[in-house]
Amino acid sequence: MSASQPTQTETEGDPDATDRFDAARERFDRIDREITRQMNRLGIPVLRVALGIVFIWFGGLKVVGGSPAAELVAATVYVVPAEVFVPILGVWEVLIGLCLLYRPLIRVGILLLFLQMPGTFLPVVLLPEVVFVTFPHELTVEGQYIIKNLVIIGAALVVGGTVREDAGEAGPEDATEPVRTDVNDAVRANGDETVREADDETVREDAEEIVREDAEEIVREDAKE
């Protein structure tokens, strides 16, 4: 080993290297916390709009006769003429999308969505030869189209869980959650028990900043309405 190269013990004991590492970790934590906060702020609105667009788009195709799923729908609900049922289903889906895009009608949209969803899985029972290449794991394209509705159901549950918040009925636990999360992050990063009492000035400033930004966001939303 060259004499100019520091030993492992010397490197581990270098206070400057430790300080640089701690500073880099703190910067990463701040950036990560901000990114997470923005994702938390934007995630549900983006999810709601995305759901609305998907339903309006897919439903609109059924209304104008351009849906690739029309044949599958017609084969599943064969007791009703396809030229009648498919456009009606399309209108239903467009209504779901419009309700999801208009916040006061989210409850209606979620209700219409969950009334429709069981029907989307009927081909699994009535037309398994169309859904599966090999039952039960190998899906056809049509089968994948159907199974992806599980994601839509999950997304609808998430959006539906926010309707009381959209009505301004969030409880005190919901209102304080961002502050609590920020304090907990600081506790884990710092490892100092006193931070649990939020005595550290940096933690208080971070918490106050979150409260201010959330309050400003509420004011902006109220102004839009």
Side-chain angles (χ1 to χ4, degrees):
M1 179 182 295
S2 172
S4 61
Q5 291 180 324
T7 65
Q8 182 177 358
T9 303
E10 291 172 342
T11 303
E12 292 175 350
D14 184 357
D16 291 337
T18 302
D19 290 344
R20 287 194 298 270
F21 175 78
D22 290 341
R25 185 176 63 179
E26 289 175 5
R27 284 195 298 271
F28 172 81
D29 285 342
R30 285 197 299 271
I31 294 171
D32 184 66
R33 189 160 54 245
E34 178 62 21
I35 291 173
T36 303
R37 193 174 67 83
Q38 293 299 330
M39 291 174 69
N40 182 63
R41 183 175 67 87
L42 297 173
I44 292 178
V46 170
L47 181 63
R48 177 170 61 84
V49 171
L51 275 176
I53 291 173
V54 166
F55 273 97
I56 291 172
W57 197 335
F58 285 18
L61 289 176
K62 291 182 177 69
V63 172
V64 301
S67 173
E71 185 176 342
L72 177 62
V73 173
T76 303
V77 190
Y78 52 85
V79 295
V80 181
E83 61 272 15
V84 175
F85 183 77
V86 173
I88 290 176
L89 179 61
V91 171
W92 186 287
E93 292 180 350
V94 170
L95 286 175
I96 292 173
L98 292 175
C99 289
L100 290 174
L101 292 180
Y102 184 53
R103 289 172 60 182
L105 294 180
I106 290 177
R107 283 184 173 88
V108 177
I110 296 295
L111 174 62
L112 294 176
L113 186 153
F114 279 107
L115 289 175
Q116 183 222 4
M117 276 297 115
T120 65
F121 290 95
L122 281 177
V124 176
V125 178
L126 300 179
L127 301 170
E129 69 280 2
V130 176
V131 176
F132 298 100
V133 175
T134 304
F135 181 84
H137 63 283
E138 192 173 351
L139 296 167
T140 62
V141 173
E142 292 84 355
Q144 294 175 42
Y145 179 84
I146 293 168
I147 296 302
K148 70 95 176 58
N149 288 327
L150 293 173
V151 178
I152 291 180
I153 292 172
L157 289 172
V158 173
V159 173
T162 68
V163 293
R164 298 187 70 84
E165 295 175 14
D166 287 339
E169 300 176 20
E173 289 297 318
D174 299 323
T176 58
E177 186 60 31
V179 177
R180 185 183 302 108
T181 301
D182 197 69
V183 172
N184 289 339
D185 287 344
V187 170
R188 286 191 292 270
N190 192 292
D192 187 351
E193 186 63 26
T194 60
V195 177
R196 295 185 184 276
E197 301 298 328
D199 289 336
D200 187 271
E201 184 65 27
T202 302
V203 176
R204 287 203 303 274
E205 290 176 357
D206 287 346
E208 290 169 0
E209 180 65 22
I210 289 175
V211 171
R212 278 196 300 273
E213 291 179 0
D214 287 347
E216 291 170 359
E217 182 67 23
I218 292 172
V219 171
R220 285 195 294 268
E221 291 293 336
D222 290 342
K224 290 179 183 178
E225 295 176 357

